[in-house]
Coordinates of all heavy atoms in Angstrom, one line a residue:
M25 N -6.3 -1.9 8.7 CA -5.8 -0.6 8.8 C -4.5 -0.5 8.1 O -3.6 -1.3 8.4 CB -5.8 -0.2 10.3 CG -5.2 1.2 10.5 SD -5.3 1.9 12.1 CE -4.2 0.8 13.0
I26 N -4.3 0.6 7.3 CA -3.0 0.8 6.7 C -2.4 2.1 7.2 O -3.1 3.1 7.2 CB -3.1 0.8 5.1 CG1 -3.8 -0.4 4.6 CG2 -1.8 1.1 4.5 CD1 -4.1 -0.4 3.2
Q27 N -1.1 2.1 7.5 CA -0.5 3.3 7.9 C 0.6 3.7 7.0 O 1.4 2.8 6.5 CB 0.1 3.2 9.3 CG -1.0 3.0 10.4 CD -0.4 2.8 11.8 OE1 0.8 2.4 11.9 NE2 -1.1 3.0 12.8
A28 N 0.8 5.0 6.7 CA 1.9 5.5 5.8 C 1.9 7.0 5.9 O 1.0 7.6 6.5 CB 1.7 5.0 4.4
E29 N 2.9 7.5 5.3 CA 3.0 9.0 5.2 C 1.8 9.5 4.4 O 1.3 8.7 3.5 CB 4.3 9.4 4.6 CG 5.5 9.0 5.3 CD 6.8 9.2 4.5 OE1 6.8 10.2 3.8 OE2 7.7 8.5 4.7
R30 N 1.3 10.7 4.6 CA 0.2 11.2 3.8 C 0.7 12.0 2.6 O -0.1 12.1 1.6 CB -0.7 12.1 4.7 CG -1.3 11.3 5.8 CD -2.4 10.4 5.2 NE -3.0 9.7 6.3 CZ -3.7 8.6 6.1 NH1 -3.8 8.0 4.9 NH2 -4.3 8.0 7.1
I31 N 1.9 12.4 2.6 CA 2.5 13.2 1.5 C 3.9 12.7 1.2 O 4.6 12.4 2.1 CB 2.5 14.7 1.8 CG1 1.1 15.3 2.1 CG2 3.2 15.5 0.7 CD1 1.1 16.7 2.6
A32 N 4.2 12.5 -0.1 CA 5.5 12.1 -0.5 C 5.8 12.8 -1.8 O 5.0 13.5 -2.4 CB 5.5 10.6 -0.7
R33 N 7.1 12.7 -2.2 CA 7.5 13.3 -3.5 C 7.9 12.2 -4.5 O 8.3 11.1 -4.1 CB 8.7 14.2 -3.2 CG 8.4 15.4 -2.3 CD 9.4 16.5 -2.6 NE 8.9 17.7 -1.9 CZ 8.1 18.6 -2.4 NH1 7.6 18.5 -3.6 NH2 7.7 19.7 -1.7
A34 N 7.7 12.5 -5.7 CA 8.1 11.6 -6.8 C 9.6 11.3 -6.5 O 10.4 12.1 -6.2 CB 7.9 12.2 -8.2
G35 N 9.9 10.0 -6.6 CA 11.3 9.5 -6.4 C 11.4 9.0 -4.9 O 12.5 8.3 -4.6
D36 N 10.5 9.3 -4.1 CA 10.6 8.8 -2.7 C 10.2 7.3 -2.6 O 9.4 6.8 -3.4 CB 9.6 9.5 -1.8 CG 10.0 10.9 -1.4 OD1 11.1 11.3 -1.8 OD2 9.2 11.6 -0.8
V37 N 10.8 6.6 -1.6 CA 10.4 5.2 -1.3 C 9.5 5.4 -0.1 O 10.0 5.8 1.0 CB 11.6 4.3 -1.0 CG1 11.2 3.0 -0.6 CG2 12.5 4.2 -2.3
V38 N 8.3 5.0 -0.2 CA 7.3 5.1 0.9 C 7.0 3.8 1.6 O 6.7 2.8 0.9 CB 6.0 5.8 0.5 CG1 5.0 5.9 1.6 CG2 6.3 7.1 -0.2
R39 N 7.2 3.7 2.9 CA 6.9 2.5 3.7 C 5.5 2.5 4.1 O 5.0 3.5 4.7 CB 7.9 2.5 4.8 CG 7.7 1.2 5.7 CD 8.7 1.3 6.9 NE 8.5 0.3 7.8 CZ 9.3 -0.8 7.9 NH1 10.4 -0.9 7.1 NH2 9.1 -1.7 8.8
F40 N 4.8 1.3 3.9 CA 3.4 1.1 4.4 C 3.4 0.0 5.4 O 4.2 -0.9 5.3 CB 2.5 0.8 3.2 CG 2.4 1.9 2.2 CD1 3.3 2.1 1.2 CD2 1.3 2.7 2.2 CE1 3.2 3.2 0.3 CE2 1.1 3.8 1.3 CZ 2.1 4.0 0.4
E41 N 2.4 0.1 6.2 CA 2.2 -1.0 7.2 C 0.7 -1.3 7.3 O -0.1 -0.4 7.6 CB 2.7 -0.6 8.6 CG 2.6 -1.6 9.6 CD 3.3 -1.2 10.9 OE1 4.5 -1.2 11.0 OE2 2.5 -0.8 11.8
A42 N 0.3 -2.5 7.0 CA -1.1 -3.0 7.1 C -1.2 -4.0 8.3 O -0.4 -4.9 8.4 CB -1.5 -3.6 5.8
R43 N -2.2 -3.8 9.1 CA -2.4 -4.7 10.3 C -3.7 -5.4 10.1 O -4.7 -4.9 9.6 CB -2.5 -3.9 11.6 CG -1.2 -3.2 11.9 CD -1.3 -2.4 13.3 NE 0.0 -1.9 13.6 CZ 0.9 -2.5 14.2 NH1 0.8 -3.8 14.6 NH2 2.1 -2.0 14.5
L44 N -3.7 -6.7 10.5 CA -4.8 -7.6 10.4 C -5.1 -8.2 11.7 O -4.1 -8.8 12.3 CB -4.6 -8.6 9.3 CG -5.7 -9.7 9.2 CD1 -7.0 -9.1 8.6 CD2 -5.2 -10.9 8.3
H45 N -6.3 -8.2 12.2 CA -6.7 -8.9 13.4 C -8.0 -9.7 13.0 O -9.0 -9.1 12.6 CB -7.0 -8.0 14.5 CG -7.5 -8.7 15.7 ND1 -6.7 -9.5 16.5 CD2 -8.7 -8.8 16.2 CE1 -7.5 -10.0 17.5 NE2 -8.7 -9.6 17.3
V46 N -7.9 -11.0 13.2 CA -9.0 -11.9 13.0 C -9.4 -12.5 14.3 O -8.6 -13.2 14.9 CB -8.7 -13.0 11.9 CG1 -9.9 -13.9 11.7 CG2 -8.3 -12.4 10.6
D47 N -10.6 -12.2 14.8 CA -11.1 -12.7 16.0 C -11.0 -14.3 16.1 O -11.3 -15.0 15.1 CB -12.6 -12.4 16.3 CG -12.7 -10.9 16.6 OD1 -11.8 -10.2 17.0 OD2 -13.9 -10.4 16.3
G48 N -10.4 -14.8 17.2 CA -10.3 -16.2 17.4 C -9.2 -16.9 16.7 O -9.0 -18.1 16.8
E49 N -8.4 -16.1 16.1 CA -7.2 -16.7 15.3 C -5.9 -16.5 16.1 O -5.7 -15.4 16.7 CB -7.1 -16.0 13.9 CG -6.0 -16.6 13.1 CD -6.0 -16.0 11.7 OE1 -5.3 -14.9 11.6 OE2 -6.7 -16.5 10.8
S50 N -5.1 -17.5 16.0 CA -3.8 -17.4 16.7 C -3.0 -16.2 16.0 O -3.1 -16.0 14.8 CB -3.0 -18.7 16.5 OG -1.6 -18.5 16.8
S51 N -2.2 -15.5 16.8 CA -1.4 -14.4 16.3 C -0.2 -14.9 15.5 O 0.5 -14.1 14.9 CB -0.9 -13.6 17.5 OG -0.1 -14.3 18.3
A52 N 0.0 -16.2 15.4 CA 1.1 -16.8 14.6 C 0.7 -17.3 13.3 O 1.5 -17.9 12.6 CB 1.8 -17.9 15.4
V53 N -0.5 -17.0 12.8 CA -1.0 -17.5 11.5 C -0.5 -16.6 10.4 O -0.7 -15.4 10.5 CB -2.5 -17.6 11.5 CG1 -3.0 -18.0 10.1 CG2 -3.0 -18.7 12.5
Q54 N 0.1 -17.2 9.4 CA 0.5 -16.4 8.2 C -0.6 -16.1 7.3 O -1.5 -16.9 7.2 CB 1.6 -17.1 7.4 CG 3.0 -17.2 8.1 CD 4.0 -17.7 7.2 OE1 3.7 -18.5 6.2 NE2 5.2 -17.4 7.4
H55 N -0.6 -14.9 6.7 CA -1.6 -14.5 5.7 C -0.8 -14.0 4.5 O 0.3 -13.5 4.6 CB -2.5 -13.4 6.3 CG -3.5 -13.9 7.3 ND1 -4.8 -14.2 6.9 CD2 -3.4 -14.1 8.6 CE1 -5.4 -14.6 8.0 NE2 -4.6 -14.6 9.0
V56 N -1.5 -14.1 3.4 CA -1.0 -13.5 2.1 C -1.8 -12.3 1.8 O -3.1 -12.3 1.8 CB -1.1 -14.5 0.9 CG1 -0.7 -13.9 -0.4 CG2 -0.3 -15.8 1.2
F57 N -1.2 -11.2 1.6 CA -1.8 -9.9 1.4 C -1.5 -9.5 -0.1 O -0.4 -9.6 -0.5 CB -1.2 -8.8 2.3 CG -1.5 -9.1 3.7 CD1 -0.6 -9.8 4.5 CD2 -2.6 -8.6 4.3 CE1 -0.9 -10.0 5.9 CE2 -2.9 -8.8 5.7 CZ -2.0 -9.5 6.5
H58 N -2.5 -9.1 -0.8 CA -2.4 -8.6 -2.2 C -2.4 -7.1 -2.1 O -3.3 -6.5 -1.6 CB -3.4 -9.1 -3.1 CG -3.3 -8.6 -4.5 ND1 -2.2 -9.0 -5.3 CD2 -4.0 -7.7 -5.2 CE1 -2.3 -8.4 -6.5 NE2 -3.3 -7.6 -6.4
V59 N -1.4 -6.5 -2.7 CA -1.2 -5.0 -2.7 C -1.5 -4.5 -4.1 O -0.9 -5.0 -5.0 CB 0.2 -4.6 -2.2 CG1 0.3 -3.1 -2.3 CG2 0.5 -5.1 -0.8
E60 N -2.4 -3.6 -4.2 CA -2.6 -2.9 -5.5 C -2.4 -1.4 -5.3 O -2.7 -0.9 -4.2 CB -4.0 -3.1 -6.0 CG -4.3 -4.5 -6.5 CD -5.7 -4.6 -7.1 OE1 -6.5 -3.6 -7.0 OE2 -6.0 -5.7 -7.7
V61 N -1.9 -0.8 -6.3 CA -1.7 0.7 -6.3 C -2.4 1.3 -7.5 O -2.3 0.8 -8.6 CB -0.2 1.0 -6.3 CG1 0.1 2.5 -6.3 CG2 0.6 0.4 -5.2
L62 N -3.1 2.4 -7.2 CA -3.9 3.1 -8.2 C -3.3 4.5 -8.4 O -3.1 5.2 -7.4 CB -5.4 3.1 -7.9 CG -6.1 1.8 -7.5 CD1 -7.5 2.1 -7.0 CD2 -6.1 0.9 -8.7
D63 N -3.1 4.9 -9.6 CA -2.6 6.3 -9.9 C -3.7 7.3 -9.7 O -4.9 6.9 -9.4 CB -2.0 6.3 -11.2 CG -2.9 6.3 -12.4 OD1 -4.2 6.4 -12.2 OD2 -2.5 6.1 -13.5
P64 N -3.5 8.6 -9.8 CA -4.5 9.6 -9.6 C -5.7 9.5 -10.5 O -6.8 10.0 -10.1 CB -3.7 10.9 -9.8 CG -2.3 10.6 -9.4 CD -2.1 9.2 -9.9
Q65 N -5.6 8.8 -11.6 CA -6.7 8.6 -12.5 C -7.5 7.3 -12.2 O -8.4 7.0 -12.9 CB -6.2 8.6 -14.0 CG -5.8 9.9 -14.5 CD -4.5 10.4 -14.0 OE1 -3.5 9.6 -13.8 NE2 -4.4 11.6 -13.6
G66 N -7.1 6.6 -11.1 CA -7.7 5.4 -10.7 C -7.3 4.1 -11.5 O -7.9 3.1 -11.4
R67 N -6.2 4.2 -12.3 CA -5.7 3.1 -13.0 C -4.7 2.3 -12.2 O -3.9 2.9 -11.5 CB -5.0 3.6 -14.3 CG -5.9 4.3 -15.3 CD -5.1 4.8 -16.4 NE -4.1 5.7 -16.0 CZ -3.7 6.8 -16.6 NH1 -4.3 7.1 -17.7 NH2 -2.8 7.6 -16.1
Q68 N -4.8 1.0 -12.3 CA -3.9 0.1 -11.6 C -2.5 0.3 -12.2 O -2.3 0.5 -13.4 CB -4.3 -1.4 -11.7 CG -5.5 -1.7 -11.0 CD -5.8 -3.2 -11.1 OE1 -5.1 -4.0 -11.7 NE2 -6.9 -3.6 -10.5
V69 N -1.5 0.2 -11.3 CA -0.1 0.4 -11.7 C 0.6 -1.0 -11.4 O 1.1 -1.2 -10.3 CB 0.6 1.5 -11.0 CG1 2.0 1.7 -11.5 CG2 -0.2 2.8 -11.2
P70 N 0.6 -1.9 -12.4 CA 1.1 -3.3 -12.1 C 2.5 -3.4 -11.6 O 2.7 -4.2 -10.7 CB 1.0 -3.9 -13.5 CG -0.2 -3.2 -14.2 CD 0.0 -1.8 -13.7
P71 N 3.4 -2.5 -12.0 CA 4.8 -2.7 -11.4 C 4.8 -2.5 -9.8 O 5.7 -2.9 -9.2 CB 5.6 -1.6 -12.1 CG 4.9 -1.3 -13.3 CD 3.4 -1.5 -13.0
Y72 N 3.8 -1.8 -9.3 CA 3.8 -1.6 -7.8 C 2.9 -2.6 -7.1 O 2.9 -2.6 -5.9 CB 3.2 -0.2 -7.5 CG 4.1 1.0 -8.0 CD1 3.6 2.2 -8.3 CD2 5.5 0.8 -8.2 CE1 4.4 3.3 -8.7 CE2 6.3 1.8 -8.7 CZ 5.8 3.0 -8.9 OH 6.6 4.1 -9.3
A73 N 2.3 -3.5 -7.8 CA 1.4 -4.5 -7.2 C 2.4 -5.6 -6.7 O 3.4 -5.9 -7.2 CB 0.5 -5.1 -8.2
S74 N 1.9 -6.3 -5.6 CA 2.7 -7.4 -5.0 C 1.9 -8.3 -4.1 O 0.7 -7.9 -3.8 CB 3.9 -6.8 -4.2 OG 3.4 -6.1 -3.1
N75 N 2.4 -9.4 -3.8 CA 1.8 -10.3 -2.8 C 2.8 -10.4 -1.7 O 4.0 -10.6 -1.9 CB 1.5 -11.7 -3.4 CG 0.4 -11.7 -4.3 OD1 -0.6 -11.0 -4.1 ND2 0.5 -12.4 -5.4
Q76 N 2.3 -10.2 -0.5 CA 3.2 -10.2 0.7 C 2.7 -11.3 1.7 O 1.5 -11.4 1.9 CB 3.2 -8.8 1.4 CG 3.5 -7.6 0.5 CD 4.9 -7.6 0.2 OE1 5.8 -7.9 1.0 NE2 5.3 -7.1 -1.0
V77 N 3.7 -12.0 2.2 CA 3.3 -13.0 3.3 C 3.7 -12.4 4.6 O 4.9 -11.9 4.8 CB 4.1 -14.3 3.0 CG1 3.7 -15.3 4.1 CG2 3.7 -14.9 1.7
A78 N 2.8 -12.4 5.6 CA 3.1 -11.8 6.9 C 2.3 -12.4 7.9 O 1.3 -13.1 7.7 CB 2.8 -10.3 6.8
V79 N 2.7 -12.2 9.2 CA 1.9 -12.7 10.4 C 1.4 -11.4 11.0 O 2.1 -10.7 11.7 CB 2.8 -13.5 11.3 CG1 2.1 -13.9 12.6 CG2 3.4 -14.7 10.6
G80 N 0.2 -11.1 10.8 CA -0.5 -10.0 11.5 C -0.2 -8.6 11.0 O -1.1 -7.8 10.7
V81 N 1.1 -8.3 10.7 CA 1.5 -7.0 10.2 C 2.2 -7.2 8.9 O 3.3 -7.8 8.9 CB 2.4 -6.3 11.3 CG1 2.8 -4.9 10.7 CG2 1.7 -6.1 12.6
C82 N 1.7 -6.5 7.9 CA 2.3 -6.6 6.6 C 3.0 -5.3 6.3 O 2.4 -4.2 6.3 CB 1.3 -6.8 5.5 SG 1.8 -6.7 3.8
T83 N 4.3 -5.3 6.2 CA 5.1 -4.1 5.9 C 5.7 -4.2 4.5 O 6.3 -5.2 4.1 CB 6.3 -3.9 6.9 OG1 5.7 -3.9 8.2 CG2 7.0 -2.7 6.7
F84 N 5.5 -3.1 3.7 CA 6.1 -3.1 2.3 C 6.4 -1.7 1.9 O 6.0 -0.7 2.6 CB 5.0 -3.7 1.4 CG 3.7 -3.0 1.3 CD1 3.4 -2.1 0.4 CD2 2.7 -3.3 2.3 CE1 2.2 -1.4 0.4 CE2 1.5 -2.7 2.3 CZ 1.2 -1.7 1.3
E85 N 7.2 -1.6 0.9 CA 7.6 -0.2 0.4 C 7.2 -0.1 -1.1 O 7.1 -1.1 -1.8 CB 9.1 -0.1 0.5 CG 9.6 -0.1 1.9 CD 11.1 0.1 2.0 OE1 11.8 -0.2 1.0 OE2 11.6 0.6 3.0
I86 N 6.9 1.1 -1.4 CA 6.6 1.5 -2.8 C 7.6 2.5 -3.3 O 7.6 3.6 -2.7 CB 5.1 2.0 -3.0 CG1 4.2 0.9 -2.7 CG2 4.9 2.5 -4.5 CD1 2.7 1.3 -2.7
P87 N 8.4 2.2 -4.2 CA 9.4 3.1 -4.7 C 8.9 4.0 -5.9 O 9.0 3.6 -7.0 CB 10.6 2.2 -5.2 CG 9.8 1.0 -5.7 CD 8.6 0.9 -4.8
F88 N 8.3 5.1 -5.5 CA 7.7 5.9 -6.5 C 8.7 6.5 -7.5 O 9.8 6.9 -7.1 CB 6.9 7.1 -5.9 CG 5.6 6.7 -5.3 CD1 5.5 6.5 -3.9 CD2 4.5 6.4 -6.1 CE1 4.3 6.1 -3.3 CE2 3.3 6.0 -5.5 CZ 3.2 5.9 -4.1
A89 N 8.4 6.4 -8.8 CA 9.4 6.9 -9.8 C 9.4 8.4 -9.9 O 8.4 9.1 -9.5 CB 9.1 6.3 -11.2
F90 N 10.5 9.0 -10.3 CA 10.5 10.5 -10.5 C 9.5 10.9 -11.6 O 9.0 12.0 -11.6 CB 11.9 10.9 -11.0 CG 12.9 10.9 -9.8 CD1 13.8 9.9 -9.7 CD2 12.9 11.9 -8.9 CE1 14.7 9.8 -8.7 CE2 13.8 11.9 -7.8 CZ 14.7 10.8 -7.7
S91 N 9.1 10.0 -12.5 CA 8.1 10.3 -13.6 C 6.7 10.0 -13.2 O 5.8 10.3 -14.0 CB 8.5 9.5 -14.8 OG 8.4 8.1 -14.5
D92 N 6.4 9.5 -12.0 CA 5.0 9.3 -11.6 C 4.2 10.6 -11.5 O 4.8 11.6 -11.1 CB 5.0 8.5 -10.2 CG 5.3 7.1 -10.3 OD1 5.1 6.5 -11.4 OD2 5.7 6.5 -9.3
A93 N 3.0 10.5 -11.9 CA 2.1 11.6 -11.9 C 1.9 12.2 -10.5 O 1.7 11.4 -9.6 CB 0.8 11.3 -12.6
E94 N 1.8 13.5 -10.4 CA 1.5 14.0 -9.1 C 0.0 13.9 -8.9 O -0.8 13.8 -9.8 CB 1.9 15.5 -8.9 CG 1.3 16.5 -9.9 CD 1.9 17.9 -9.6 OE1 1.4 18.5 -8.7 OE2 2.7 18.3 -10.4
G95 N -0.4 13.9 -7.6 CA -1.8 13.8 -7.3 C -2.0 12.7 -6.2 O -1.1 12.2 -5.6
R96 N -3.3 12.4 -6.0 CA -3.7 11.4 -4.9 C -3.6 10.0 -5.4 O -4.4 9.6 -6.3 CB -5.1 11.7 -4.4 CG -5.4 10.8 -3.2 CD -6.4 11.4 -2.3 NE -6.1 12.7 -1.8 CZ -5.2 12.9 -0.7 NH1 -4.6 11.9 -0.2 NH2 -5.0 14.2 -0.3
W97 N -2.7 9.2 -4.9 CA -2.5 7.8 -5.2 C -3.2 7.0 -4.2 O -3.3 7.4 -3.0 CB -1.0 7.4 -5.3 CG -0.3 7.9 -6.5 CD1 -0.1 9.3 -6.7 CD2 0.3 7.2 -7.5 NE1 0.6 9.4 -7.9 CE2 0.8 8.1 -8.4 CE3 0.3 5.8 -7.8 CZ2 1.5 7.7 -9.6 CZ3 1.0 5.4 -8.9 CH2 1.6 6.4 -9.8
T98 N -3.8 5.8 -4.5 CA -4.5 4.9 -3.6 C -3.8 3.6 -3.5 O -3.4 3.0 -4.5 CB -5.9 4.7 -4.1 OG1 -6.6 6.0 -4.2 CG2 -6.7 3.9 -3.1
V99 N -3.6 3.1 -2.3 CA -3.0 1.8 -2.0 C -4.1 1.0 -1.4 O -4.7 1.3 -0.4 CB -1.8 1.9 -1.1 CG1 -1.2 0.6 -0.8 CG2 -0.7 2.8 -1.7
V100 N -4.3 -0.2 -2.0 CA -5.3 -1.2 -1.5 C -4.6 -2.5 -1.1 O -3.9 -3.0 -1.9 CB -6.4 -1.4 -2.5 CG1 -7.5 -2.4 -2.0 CG2 -7.0 -0.2 -3.1
V101 N -4.9 -2.9 0.1 CA -4.3 -4.2 0.6 C -5.5 -5.1 1.0 O -6.4 -4.7 1.7 CB -3.4 -4.0 1.9 CG1 -2.9 -5.3 2.4 CG2 -2.3 -3.0 1.6
R102 N -5.5 -6.3 0.4 CA -6.5 -7.3 0.6 C -5.9 -8.6 1.2 O -5.0 -9.1 0.6 CB -7.3 -7.6 -0.7 CG -8.4 -8.6 -0.5 CD -9.3 -8.7 -1.7 NE -8.5 -8.9 -2.9 CZ -8.1 -10.1 -3.4 NH1 -8.5 -11.2 -2.8 NH2 -7.4 -10.2 -4.5
D103 N -6.5 -9.1 2.3 CA -6.1 -10.4 2.8 C -6.7 -11.4 1.9 O -7.9 -11.5 1.8 CB -6.5 -10.5 4.3 CG -6.2 -11.9 4.8 OD1 -5.0 -12.4 4.6 OD2 -7.1 -12.5 5.4
I104 N -5.9 -12.3 1.3 CA -6.5 -13.3 0.4 C -7.4 -14.3 1.1 O -8.5 -14.6 0.6 CB -5.3 -14.1 -0.3 CG1 -4.4 -13.1 -1.1 CG2 -5.9 -15.2 -1.2 CD1 -5.1 -12.4 -2.2
A105 N -7.1 -14.7 2.3 CA -7.9 -15.7 3.0 C -9.2 -15.2 3.5 O -10.2 -15.9 3.4 CB -7.1 -16.3 4.2
T106 N -9.3 -14.0 4.0 CA -10.5 -13.5 4.6 C -11.2 -12.5 3.7 O -12.4 -12.2 3.9 CB -10.2 -12.7 5.9 OG1 -9.4 -11.6 5.6 CG2 -9.5 -13.6 6.9
G107 N -10.5 -11.9 2.7 CA -11.2 -10.9 1.9 C -11.2 -9.6 2.5 O -11.6 -8.6 1.9
M108 N -10.7 -9.4 3.7 CA -10.7 -8.1 4.4 C -9.8 -7.2 3.6 O -8.7 -7.5 3.2 CB -10.2 -8.3 5.8 CG -11.1 -9.1 6.7 SD -10.4 -9.4 8.4 CE -10.7 -7.8 9.1
T109 N -10.3 -6.0 3.4 CA -9.6 -5.0 2.6 C -9.4 -3.7 3.3 O -10.3 -3.2 4.0 CB -10.4 -4.7 1.3 OG1 -10.5 -6.0 0.6 CG2 -9.7 -3.8 0.4
G110 N -8.3 -3.1 3.1 CA -8.0 -1.8 3.7 C -7.4 -0.9 2.6 O -6.9 -1.4 1.6
R111 N -7.6 0.4 2.7 CA -7.1 1.3 1.7 C -6.6 2.6 2.4 O -7.2 3.0 3.4 CB -8.1 1.6 0.6 CG -9.3 2.3 0.9 CD -10.2 2.6 -0.3 NE -10.5 1.4 -1.1 CZ -10.4 1.4 -2.4 NH1 -10.1 2.5 -3.1 NH2 -10.7 0.3 -3.1
T112 N -5.7 3.2 1.7 CA -5.2 4.5 2.2 C -4.8 5.3 0.9 O -4.7 4.8 -0.2 CB -4.1 4.4 3.1 OG1 -3.8 5.7 3.7 CG2 -2.8 3.9 2.5
S113 N -4.6 6.6 1.1 CA -4.2 7.4 -0.1 C -3.0 8.2 0.4 O -2.8 8.5 1.5 CB -5.3 8.3 -0.6 OG -5.7 9.2 0.4
I114 N -2.2 8.6 -0.6 CA -1.0 9.4 -0.4 C -1.0 10.5 -1.5 O -1.2 10.1 -2.7 CB 0.2 8.5 -0.4 CG1 1.5 9.4 0.0 CG2 0.4 7.7 -1.6 CD1 2.7 8.5 0.3
E115 N -0.7 11.7 -1.1 CA -0.6 12.8 -2.1 C 0.9 12.8 -2.6 O 1.8 13.0 -1.8 CB -1.0 14.1 -1.4 CG -1.0 15.3 -2.4 CD -2.2 15.2 -3.3 OE1 -3.2 14.6 -3.0 OE2 -2.0 15.8 -4.4
L116 N 1.1 12.6 -3.9 CA 2.4 12.6 -4.5 C 2.7 14.0 -5.1 O 1.9 14.4 -6.0 CB 2.5 11.5 -5.5 CG 3.9 11.2 -6.0 CD1 4.7 10.6 -4.8 CD2 3.9 10.1 -7.1
K117 N 3.7 14.6 -4.6 CA 4.1 15.9 -5.1 C 5.3 15.7 -6.1 O 6.0 14.7 -6.0 CB 4.5 16.8 -3.9 CG 3.5 17.0 -2.9 CD 2.4 17.9 -3.3 CE 1.4 18.3 -2.2 NZ 0.4 19.1 -2.7
P118 N 5.6 16.7 -6.9 CA 6.7 16.6 -7.8 C 8.0 16.6 -7.0 O 8.1 17.1 -5.8 CB 6.7 17.9 -8.6 CG 5.4 18.6 -8.3 CD 4.8 18.0 -7.1
S119 N 9.0 16.0 -7.5 CA 10.3 15.9 -6.9 C 10.9 17.3 -6.8 O 10.6 18.2 -7.5 CB 11.3 14.9 -7.6 OG 11.6 15.4 -8.9
L120 N 11.9 17.5 -5.9 CA 12.5 18.8 -5.7 C 13.6 19.1 -6.8 O 14.2 18.3 -7.2 CB 13.1 18.9 -4.3 CG 12.1 19.0 -3.2 CD1 12.8 19.0 -1.9 CD2 11.2 20.2 -3.3

């Protein structure tokens, strides 16, 4: 499950939180999460991609540029070890 604001403006830094629960696994186990960001046309945006190491809860930020296209952006987080994937979207509006 990924949590974040649903609407942001170009130039905003948006904080995301992805939670992972694996049955039978200790809550102290580290996981590597791969983060991908897709623009409104569905194209990957490599500067926003990252790998995050976390224990259960992966928190990361995406600093949207003032020049980023407005529209619905998609954030996909995949746990490398289990393959579990979550996604969310955020509507990016023009900056003020």
Side-chain angles (χ1 to χ4, degrees):
M25 175 171 68
I26 305 173
Q27 295 178 337
E29 300 172 31
R30 295 290 181 199
I31 298 174
R33 296 203 172 272
D36 285 354
V37 176
V38 180
R39 181 182 174 102
F40 293 83
E41 185 176 280
R43 295 183 176 273
L44 173 70
H45 174 76
V46 178
D47 289 336
E49 182 178 87
S50 166
S51 61
V53 173
Q54 286 189 335
H55 285 262
V56 177
F57 297 89
H58 179 69
V59 177
E60 286 186 354
V61 180
L62 308 174
D63 70 11
Q65 288 73 42
R67 297 177 300 219
Q68 291 183 2
V69 183
Y72 294 157
S74 65
N75 289 318
Q76 306 286 329
V77 177
V79 176
V81 179
C82 172
T83 303
F84 59 96
E85 294 179 337
I86 297 176
F88 287 102
F90 286 103
S91 60
D92 280 337
E94 64 180 281
R96 184 154 307 279
W97 288 66
T98 302
V99 177
V100 181
V101 178
R102 180 174 48 91
D103 175 50
I104 300 299
T106 65
M108 295 174 74
T109 302
R111 66 177 50 225
T112 191
S113 61
I114 184 167
E115 185 71 27
L116 194 63
K117 301 285 187 184
S119 63
L120 292 176

